[in-house]
């Protein structure tokens, strides 16, 4: 059996899933030290009503906790029971997060080594899809004396631990524990307890250096896991090592899901230009090809710039390029692979009227320059060759709210977008109106935001809510 001086199996019942606004209603602790095993539990008065759904799930009613002590009265006793041992819980970030917030409100701080039995089960039994407590009870034939009561669930974890210790090879068990308990080295100038507060939710994180200079902006659907990976000594890249030495402050912003994180990351990088970010920076010379009719009736690609035209509203644009040089190189490659005429494309000047272009002499042009290929056919082939580069036209009459819901249903965000331009995200109706009101001058078209939104809409990741009335008000 793995050697740990003190094991503390913990389970909580709460009024909900949000450790910021919800409260603890019951605490259950099984403390194991050597051969000594003790069980302790208490109801806790949350000082707020318990939702009917939670009362039905746990069996804990408002009447049951009315005369129970509030957490502040229990804080010192609970802290004494938790100190000096390995904190073990199922979905441990949930229980640990609730306790940290409760202790903070009571004027105490909680610091403990934490092990999550969900992660332990996944590590030891990757072949199984489910690792919730009900699945583990059935899989390992644990004796469930009750479910969704704190002490009964804490005792299930103690049963699970003993079962694993008996049935898993000691070296395998120890190795799994060592990997899960491995803690990254904290940056020199960053307080260690800051890492404990990082949620494992989608969002964006920001690293600040000396004088609060913004060093880096990143995003992840698992914030905690991604941030800690920067400080993992076994897999640290040189850039991570150098940046880690510079970090003085860490900040994060939670989002409902991946789309919100992607949009916010792109916006922050462009607006604030972090020192260590190179990708996603604003491209000043953004340009594209637009097919335009010429005096002779032929259609020719004309290079247009985002600084002169609203790419979010324009139609018939092909490709997004960071410079004229790259745009012309791309068009030349297309012309060569499809035997298009460089003269007709405006990429080569005709030396003498009636004479074939140089590419035709090399059999790389089908002769549109000298009438061997009809203009209509050349134009049709040009449009077909450019089809893969065609920008998607904004498919809505005005701005829309892209509604994204968190995987667990705990939060919802409306990402306000107009003509592929991201105006911001809101979690309340009034904030949606505010974003439109503040955006009378729409932000410049951005290629990264465009690509993010096109992918999200193509995958059907969000619900689309048109905002025509809000647009009318914002434009008034």
């Amino acid at each position: 059996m793995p050697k740990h001086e003190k094991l503390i199996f913990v389970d909580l019942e709460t009024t909900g899933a949000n450790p910021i606004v919800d409260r603890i209603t019951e605490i259950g602790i099984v403390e194991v030290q050597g051969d000594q095993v003790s069980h302790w539990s208490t109801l806790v008065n949350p000082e707020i009503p318990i939702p009917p759904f939670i009362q039905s799930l746990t069996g804990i009613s408002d009447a049951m906790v009315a005369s129970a002590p509030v957490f502040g009265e229990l804080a010192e006793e609970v802290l004494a029971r938790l100190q000096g041992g390995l904190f073990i819980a199922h979905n441990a970030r949930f229980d640990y997060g609730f306790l940290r917030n409760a202790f903070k409100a009571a004027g105490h701080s909680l610091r403990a080594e934490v092990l999550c039995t969900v992660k332990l089960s996944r590590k030891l039994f990757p072949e199984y899809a489910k690792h919730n407590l009900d699945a583990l009870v059935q899989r390992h034939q644990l004796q469930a004396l009750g479910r969704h009561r704190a002490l009964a669930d804490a005792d299930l974890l103690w049963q699970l631990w003993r079962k694993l210790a008996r049935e898993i090879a000691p070296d395998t068990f120890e190795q799994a524990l060592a990997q899960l308990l491995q803690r990254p080295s904290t940056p020199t100038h960053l307080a260690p307890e800051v890492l404990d507060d990082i949620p494992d939710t989608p969002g964006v994180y920001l690293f600040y250096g000396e004088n609060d200079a913004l060093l880096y902006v990143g995003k992840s659907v698992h914030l905690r896991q991604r941030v800690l990976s920067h400080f993992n000594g076994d897999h640290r890249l040189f850039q991570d090592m150098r940046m880690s030495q510079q970090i003085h402050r860490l900040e994060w912003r939670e989002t409902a899901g991946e789309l919100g994180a992607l949009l916010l990351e792109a916006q922050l990088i462009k607006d604030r230009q972090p020192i260590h970010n190179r990708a996603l920076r604003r491209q000043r010379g953004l340009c594209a090809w637009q097919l335009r009719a010429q005096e002779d009736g032929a259609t020719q690609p004309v290079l247009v710039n985002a600084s002169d035209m609203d790419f979010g509203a324009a139609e018939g644009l092909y490709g997004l390029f960071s410079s004229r040089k790259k745009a012309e190189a791309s068009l030349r490659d297309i012309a060569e692979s499809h035997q298009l005429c460089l003269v007709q494309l405006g990429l080569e000047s005709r030396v003498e009227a009636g004479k074939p272009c140089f590419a035709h002499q090399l059999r790389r042009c089908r002769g549109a320059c000298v009438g061997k290929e009809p203009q209509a056919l050349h134009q049709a082939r040009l449009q077909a060759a450019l089809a893969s580069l065609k920008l998607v036209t904004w498919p809505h009459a005005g701005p829309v709210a892209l509604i994204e819901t968190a995987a667990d249903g705990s939060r919802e965000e409306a990402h306000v977008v107009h003509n592929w331009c991201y105006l911001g995200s809101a979690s309340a109706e009034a904030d949606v109106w505010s974003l439109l009101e503040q955006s009378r001058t729409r932000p410049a078209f951005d290629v990264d935001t465009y690509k993010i939104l096109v992918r999200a809409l193509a995958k059907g990741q969000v619900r689309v809510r048109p905002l025509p009335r809000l647009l009318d008000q914002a434009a008034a």
Side-chain angles (χ1 to χ4, degrees):
M1 179 175 176
K3 300 287 191 294
H4 296 276
E5 289 187 5
K6 184 178 178 182
L7 304 177
I8 308 165
F9 300 91
V10 181
D11 188 78
L12 306 178
E13 300 304 332
T14 65
T15 61
N18 189 330
I20 304 299
V21 299
D22 290 309
R23 305 287 182 83
I24 297 170
T25 59
E26 188 176 39
I27 305 170
I29 297 175
V30 177
E31 183 179 336
V32 181
Q33 193 160 12
D35 296 329
Q36 301 297 314
V37 179
S38 63
H39 294 69
W40 180 86
S41 69
T42 180
L43 289 169
V44 182
N45 187 340
E47 300 181 280
I48 61 173
I50 303 174
F53 167 75
I54 299 295
Q55 292 192 43
S56 175
L57 179 69
T58 64
I60 300 174
S61 65
D62 289 329
M64 289 172 62
V65 298
S67 59
V70 298
F71 187 85
E73 297 170 337
L74 296 164
E76 291 188 3
E77 180 179 3
V78 176
L79 189 61
R81 291 180 179 277
L82 297 178
Q83 284 180 334
L86 178 62
F87 185 108
I88 305 170
H90 210 64
N91 290 316
R93 300 311 309 174
F94 174 90
D95 300 271
Y96 192 70
F98 261 97
L99 284 169
R100 275 181 57 83
N101 282 339
F103 277 120
K104 185 176 181 179
H108 299 274
S109 62
L110 173 65
R111 293 288 305 280
E113 193 174 22
V114 179
L115 176 70
C116 177
T117 47
V118 173
K119 294 181 179 179
L120 179 61
S121 180
R122 286 175 180 161
K123 177 75 70 175
L124 295 173
F125 305 99
E127 67 273 20
Y128 291 104
K130 294 184 178 181
H131 298 272
N132 57 58
L133 198 50
D134 287 328
L136 297 189
V137 167
Q138 184 176 7
R139 187 179 307 149
H140 298 286
Q141 298 182 329
L142 307 179
Q143 299 301 312
L145 302 178
R147 282 289 283 115
H148 303 296
R149 289 301 299 266
L151 189 58
D153 285 355
D155 186 71
L156 282 174
L157 299 182
W158 168 224
Q159 291 182 47
L160 175 66
W161 182 275
R162 285 178 290 170
K163 190 99 172 180
L164 296 178
R166 288 195 303 268
E167 298 179 357
I168 301 297
D171 289 347
T172 301
F173 198 5
E174 283 287 5
Q175 184 178 13
L177 293 177
Q179 290 175 351
L180 292 174
L181 294 174
Q182 183 181 20
R183 188 175 180 86
S185 56
T186 307
T188 306
H189 305 290
L190 199 63
E193 59 268 21
V194 172
L195 302 182
D196 292 331
D197 294 328
I198 304 172
D200 204 17
T201 60
V204 170
Y205 58 96
L206 301 89
F207 292 154
Y208 293 88
E210 194 172 4
N211 299 320
D212 227 28
L214 183 58
L215 302 175
Y216 184 80
V217 173
K219 59 89 183 55
S220 178
V221 292
H222 299 289
L223 272 176
R224 178 178 174 78
Q225 179 180 330
R226 181 69 186 98
V227 171
L228 295 184
S229 72
H230 283 281
F231 313 136
N232 190 324
D234 292 338
H235 303 92
R236 184 183 295 161
L237 300 175
F238 173 73
Q239 181 184 5
D240 285 339
M241 183 184 302
R242 184 178 61 173
M243 188 164 58
S244 176
Q245 296 168 350
Q246 299 172 334
I247 296 173
H248 284 243
R249 185 167 72 87
L250 165 64
E251 178 185 323
W252 60 85
R253 303 180 189 181
E254 294 183 64
T255 61
E258 182 181 19
L259 177 59
L262 286 166
L263 291 170
L264 182 57
E265 178 197 35
Q267 182 186 63
L268 287 171
I269 291 174
K270 287 171 176 61
D271 291 347
R272 302 184 60 180
Q273 300 286 296
I275 295 170
H276 289 286
N277 286 97
R278 291 293 178 264
L280 300 183
R281 291 200 174 192
R282 197 175 298 282
Q283 297 179 341
R284 304 294 179 186
L286 191 65
C287 54
W289 292 108
Q290 187 176 49
L291 293 181
R292 292 183 181 176
Q294 304 302 301
E295 292 181 2
D296 60 0
T299 300
Q300 187 179 85
V302 176
L303 196 63
V304 293
N305 298 306
S307 58
D308 302 324
M309 175 187 295
D310 183 357
F311 278 14
E315 295 186 3
L317 297 182
Y318 296 86
L320 290 169
F321 308 97
S322 59
S323 68
R324 171 179 285 273
K325 182 178 180 180
K326 291 181 179 180
E328 291 183 348
S330 176
L331 191 56
R332 285 182 184 277
D333 289 341
I334 289 173
E336 183 175 350
S337 61
H338 291 81
Q339 293 185 302
L340 297 170
C341 179
L342 295 179
V343 171
Q344 297 295 312
L345 298 183
L347 295 176
E348 184 178 301
S349 299
R350 188 189 297 273
V351 178
E352 186 177 339
K355 285 207 170 184
C357 68
F358 182 67
H360 181 60
Q361 298 174 46
L362 299 176
R363 297 184 180 181
R364 295 176 182 171
C365 163
R366 295 183 184 179
C369 48
V370 289
K372 287 186 177 182
E373 180 182 32
Q375 287 287 346
L377 179 57
H378 184 271
Q379 291 173 25
R381 293 198 305 111
L382 171 61
Q383 288 185 325
L386 289 172
S388 63
L389 297 180
K390 194 176 192 309
L391 269 67
V392 180
T393 302
W394 178 242
H396 304 284
V400 299
L402 304 179
I403 311 300
E404 184 176 30
T405 304
D408 61 0
S410 61
R411 63 182 294 172
E412 191 172 81
E413 282 183 327
H415 310 303
V416 182
V417 182
H418 187 209
N419 285 352
W420 300 120
C421 294
Y422 172 58
L423 308 183
S425 297
S427 55
E429 183 74 16
D431 294 333
V432 173
W433 287 80
S434 179
L435 285 172
L436 285 174
E437 180 64 28
Q438 295 169 14
S439 302
R440 294 178 184 273
T441 302
R442 195 165 55 251
F445 178 88
D446 173 62
V447 59
D448 298 304
T449 299
Y450 164 79
K451 291 178 179 178
I452 290 167
L453 292 170
V454 167
R455 284 195 298 267
L457 289 175
K459 293 179 180 178
Q461 293 179 335
V462 291
R463 304 194 315 275
V464 180
R465 174 190 163 196
L467 301 172
R469 291 193 306 105
L470 298 185
L471 173 61
D472 293 341
Q473 176 167 337

